[in-house]
Amino acid sequence: MVKAPEPVQKFVLATIDTAQNGFVFEVLGSFLYGREDAIPQMFKTLLADWSVPREETPIFVYYLQRHIDLDGDSHGPAATRLVSDLAQGNADSLEQIRRAGISAIEHRLALWDALQSELVRCKSRASPWA
């Protein structure tokens, strides 16, 4: 078993729990709003604000760009159509989708907040030779 940091474990376990135990509309809302809809802009912002030269991490940049392209152009729109087709405007279904989406975004925010805190902590301990 891999020992990941606690915030990563919480995020992954929440995602797996939703995938395995959520109702259809909860799974749809979680993955549409917590992933397919959020990732393209999140990764665009990361690439735009990142101070590491892209040529130093070409595989990581490729990974991010590939997610931007796939999720923005294909997966996100397909998931949106799926939600629309399955929910058919039903208020209860749309509410399940909304609540699951909010929960997924909250879990993602907690993960990124923890990552940011760790980066700040590591930067404050940086070597004087860095």
Side-chain angles (χ1 to χ4, degrees):
M1 179 175 201
V2 174
K3 177 65 174 139
E6 184 179 347
V8 174
Q9 290 180 37
K10 285 182 178 181
F11 176 77
V12 171
L13 289 173
T15 302
I16 290 171
D17 182 57
T18 299
Q20 291 181 334
N21 301 313
F23 295 107
V24 171
F25 292 112
E26 292 170 331
V27 174
L28 286 172
S30 177
F31 282 83
L32 171 58
Y33 295 114
R35 290 190 176 288
E36 307 303 338
D37 192 54
I39 285 176
Q41 188 57 51
M42 183 176 66
F43 284 179
K44 284 179 189 176
T45 301
L46 177 62
L47 283 175
D49 294 347
W50 198 15
S51 61
V52 177
R54 290 179 179 218
E55 58 274 2
E56 288 185 18
T57 56
I59 294 172
F60 185 58
V61 169
Y62 172 80
Y63 169 84
L64 295 175
Q65 192 59 55
R66 186 80 173 128
H67 272 283
I68 291 167
D69 296 341
L70 281 176
D71 294 339
D73 297 338
S74 179
H75 296 166
T80 300
R81 285 191 303 278
L82 181 61
V83 164
S84 177
D85 290 350
L86 290 177
Q88 297 182 354
N90 179 286
D92 291 336
S93 300
L94 292 171
E95 180 60 19
Q96 285 182 26
I97 291 166
R98 186 188 71 77
R99 281 195 321 265
I102 289 170
S103 178
I105 290 168
E106 289 172 344
H107 282 102
R108 185 170 295 281
L109 286 170
L111 173 66
W112 284 100
D113 287 348
L115 175 60
Q116 181 183 23
S117 294
E118 181 64 15
L119 289 172
V120 168
R121 188 180 69 75
C122 288
K123 188 175 182 180
S124 69
R125 296 185 318 179
S127 165
W129 298 285

